[in-house]
């Protein structure tokens, strides 16, 4: 399971998703040339995006094929991404198992 958090520059958790995303063949098989941000997630490692990277990430979410993430996770991802964009010195963390 990959969980999602917004953290400040000093590592404090500012917000977190209630739903995670399960690692499966759909997520693992994303074409990195089409999904450069989501295509780089790893199941057992953390991935951190800054606000400029979050802009690209948020554009990827509506284009995801059905079944890659749940609707709940997609909504939370968009909401937390916007939190990063609206704040200062915030980062979006994908936390692998």
């Amino acid at each position: 399971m990959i969980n999602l958090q917004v953290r400040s520059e000093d590592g404090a958790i500012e917000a977190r998703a209630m739903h995670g995303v399960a690692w499966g063949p759909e997520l693992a098989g994303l074409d990195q040339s089409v999904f450069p941000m989501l295509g780089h997630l790893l199941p057992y490692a953390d991935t951190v995006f800054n606000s400029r990277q979050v802009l690209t990430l948020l554009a990827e979410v509506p284009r995801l094929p059905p079944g890659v993430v749940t609707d709940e996770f997609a909504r939370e991802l968009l909401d937390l991404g916007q939190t990063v964009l609206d704040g200062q010195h915030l980062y979006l963390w994908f936390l692998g198992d």
Side-chain angles (χ1 to χ4, degrees):
M1 183 68 63
I2 298 176
N3 293 303
L4 191 60
Q5 295 178 346
V6 173
R7 293 186 185 180
S8 65
E9 195 169 54
D10 67 4
I13 299 170
E14 302 291 329
R16 68 179 72 217
M18 299 299 295
H19 302 90
V21 63
W23 185 261
E26 297 85 3
L27 191 54
L30 286 177
D31 183 343
Q32 291 180 352
S33 67
V34 179
F35 298 98
M37 298 294 126
L38 289 170
H40 282 88
L41 296 180
L42 297 170
Y44 303 112
D46 297 344
T47 304
V48 181
F49 294 118
N50 63 39
S51 58
R52 290 194 65 188
Q53 293 166 319
V54 166
L55 281 172
T56 302
L57 173 71
L58 294 183
E60 293 179 14
V61 176
R63 298 185 290 109
L64 283 170
V68 174
V69 300
T70 64
D71 291 342
E72 294 87 2
F73 184 80
R75 277 192 298 276
E76 288 182 317
L77 175 54
L78 293 171
D79 289 345
L80 291 178
Q82 192 62 50
T83 298
V84 170
L85 296 178
D86 291 343
Q88 292 184 348
H89 307 292
L90 298 177
Y91 300 87
L92 189 62
W93 283 65
F94 287 82
L95 305 159
D97 284 336

